[in-house]
Amino acid sequence: MCGRFALTQPLDVLTDLFQATPDNDLPELPAYNICPTVPVATVRSDAGHRRLSAMRWGFLPHWYKTPGDGPLLFNARAETLARKPAFRDACRSRRCLIPASGFYEWTKDAEGNRLPWYIHAPDHRAMAFAGVWQDWERDGQRLRSCAIVTTAAEGAMRQIHHRVPVVLAKADWALWLGERGHGAAVLMRAAPEDALRFHRVAPEVNSNRASGAQLVAPL
């Protein structure tokens, strides 16, 4: 799973990297401790024109009467994405990229203490998580929301957690966004083992209120 992540690259770097037009509602960057229910930067494609815009991290199915009406769907399992009622339509026609510099996972020591890890690309470049999105509207309230697609971890990552976000290679972004036709299902797999690095970080990040570059520093 992925319950926290970081995005530290500045806006101009992201717009150039994703070749996307930025909207005015983007969250402030850098952000070292992004949690579910907050706005996150996403990339979606409209007939090949990419937009970098904010969406609520926490997918809202159309039948939710309020944003808190059901489970908080911040992750979507790749194995069931096309079948689950909440996600199946979005899987076909509303896919997005969710930029990230890295994400956090936790293990436990012998005493049950939560030990945080930071997982990132080898060169600390921005990554793109596979995502799905949905517009939700009820009683005049409208929200655009998203979820990160996850899959089974491979290799050394399994030491930390059995699930990881689907990290898409740059060459696959267009296919996931629907700009190159059909066939995006083949992309829902774990990244190659050499595509991710991880290190322990201080327990300060255990609090969702913590912030600052020190959260990603090696312990």
Side-chain angles (χ1 to χ4, degrees):
M1 63 177 294
C2 176
R4 297 273 195 90
F5 68 96
L7 180 59
T8 62
Q9 283 78 9
L11 178 60
D12 59 340
V13 170
L14 296 177
T15 56
D16 183 64
L17 176 63
F18 292 99
Q19 293 295 289
T21 302
D23 286 348
N24 295 324
D25 61 350
L26 289 162
E28 185 176 347
L29 297 174
Y32 291 92
N33 192 8
I34 300 171
C35 305
T37 74
V38 305
V40 297
T42 67
V43 179
R44 71 185 194 281
S45 182
D46 182 6
H49 180 70
R50 296 180 184 177
R51 298 208 66 89
L52 184 66
S53 58
M55 297 187 194
R56 176 191 189 267
W57 184 23
F59 193 93
L60 296 174
H62 65 83
W63 59 81
Y64 277 23
K65 295 179 180 178
T66 68
D69 191 37
L72 181 56
L73 305 176
F74 55 89
N75 287 165
R77 294 175 67 91
E79 297 88 343
T80 58
L81 189 68
R83 302 194 306 271
K84 289 285 187 179
F87 301 120
R88 62 190 176 199
D89 289 342
C91 175
R92 297 185 185 98
S93 59
R94 292 190 301 277
R95 299 189 298 270
C96 63
L97 306 175
I98 300 177
S101 304
F103 62 100
Y104 301 95
E105 287 295 357
W106 282 260
T107 56
K108 289 186 178 181
D109 63 16
E111 288 74 39
N113 298 307
R114 299 179 74 225
L115 309 177
W117 299 76
Y118 183 63
I119 301 99
H120 57 88
D123 56 1
H124 293 274
R125 68 185 184 278
M127 301 181 287
F129 296 157
V132 289
W133 65 274
Q134 164 104 342
D135 280 334
W136 176 88
E137 187 171 6
R138 188 66 64 106
D139 298 328
Q141 183 182 14
R142 183 173 182 178
L143 290 171
R144 180 162 285 174
S145 63
C146 65
I148 294 171
V149 180
T150 68
T151 191
E154 298 284 350
M157 274 299 305
R158 288 182 292 187
Q159 303 172 34
I160 301 176
H161 201 276
H162 65 285
R163 305 289 298 178
V164 292
V166 172
V167 179
L168 298 170
K170 187 174 183 179
D172 294 327
W173 294 351
L175 181 58
W176 184 257
L177 290 173
E179 297 169 348
R180 288 189 1 227
H182 303 291
V186 300
L187 303 178
M188 292 191 288
R189 58 183 182 268
E193 190 167 357
D194 61 356
L196 296 174
R197 299 286 186 273
F198 51 85
H199 58 259
R200 276 284 314 282
V201 292
E204 181 182 356
V205 76
N206 290 355
S207 169
N208 59 14
R209 297 181 180 179
S211 63
Q214 76 282 357
L215 298 182
V216 302
L219 184 63

